[in-house]
Structure formats: structure tokens, C-alpha cells
């Protein structure tokens, strides 16, 4: 039996993070959970877009955030 569950994966590149929605696939075998090939390509596309600074492409596939360091003093 195969079931799918929505999951959000964070991708980090160059001071930015993208929240990408994917499906985790659960099966009865020992390799579960795993991703579909389409979701893997989506994660790679977002990662490469962030690396290039292509915010338009990244924003179409994910929610993009700029990471800001915070001092703990």
C-alpha cells in the first residue's frame, strides 16, 4: 500500500532559504519514505535558482526567505 503526505523541505543557499512543498511517499517496504523524481527535480531547480540569484524562478516553486544573522548578546 502506498500513501502520500505533504511535507515542506527547506533548501539553503547563499543566505537564502526556500520552503518547498513536496510529497513524501510511504510504502510497506524498508525504503520508505521517499520522494518522487518530479519532487527531486523541483528541489534541484530551486537550489540552482537560489545559487544563481534567480528569485523569480525560485519564488514560482517555493516560498523564499532571506536569512539574517541575529546577535545573541
Amino acid at each position: 500500500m502506498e500513501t502520500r503526505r505533504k511535507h515542506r523541505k527547506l533548501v539553503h543557499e547563499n543566505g537564502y532559504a526556500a520552503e518547498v512543498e513536496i510529497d513524501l511517499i510511504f510504502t510497506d517496504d524498508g525504503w520508505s519514505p521517499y520522494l518522487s523524481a518530479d519532487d527531486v527535480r523541483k528541489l534541484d531547480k530551486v537550489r540552482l535558482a537560489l545559487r544563481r540569484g534567480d528569485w523569480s524562478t525560485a519564488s514560482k516553486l517555493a516560498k523564499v526567505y532571506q536569512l539574517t544573522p541575529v546577535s545573541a548578546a
Side-chain angles (χ1 to χ4, degrees):
M1 183 176 165
E2 179 182 298
T3 59
R4 293 176 180 251
R5 189 176 76 202
K6 296 284 184 196
H7 182 75
R8 289 187 184 99
K9 177 80 174 156
L10 289 176
V11 176
H12 303 262
E13 280 292 333
N14 297 327
Y16 291 87
E19 186 179 42
V20 185
E21 190 168 300
I22 58 169
D23 287 329
L24 289 178
I25 302 168
F26 293 88
T27 60
D28 294 333
D29 64 15
W31 293 97
S32 180
Y34 60 93
L35 304 175
S36 70
D38 288 339
D39 281 341
V40 171
R41 282 190 284 272
K42 184 178 181 182
L43 289 168
D44 286 342
K45 191 180 256 189
V46 170
R47 181 176 286 109
L48 290 173
L50 290 178
R51 196 173 289 166
R52 288 190 315 262
D54 183 359
W55 316 128
S56 176
T57 299
S59 295
K60 289 177 186 173
L61 299 169
K63 194 181 266 189
V64 179
Y65 300 93
Q66 184 174 11
L67 302 176
T68 307
V70 179
S71 69

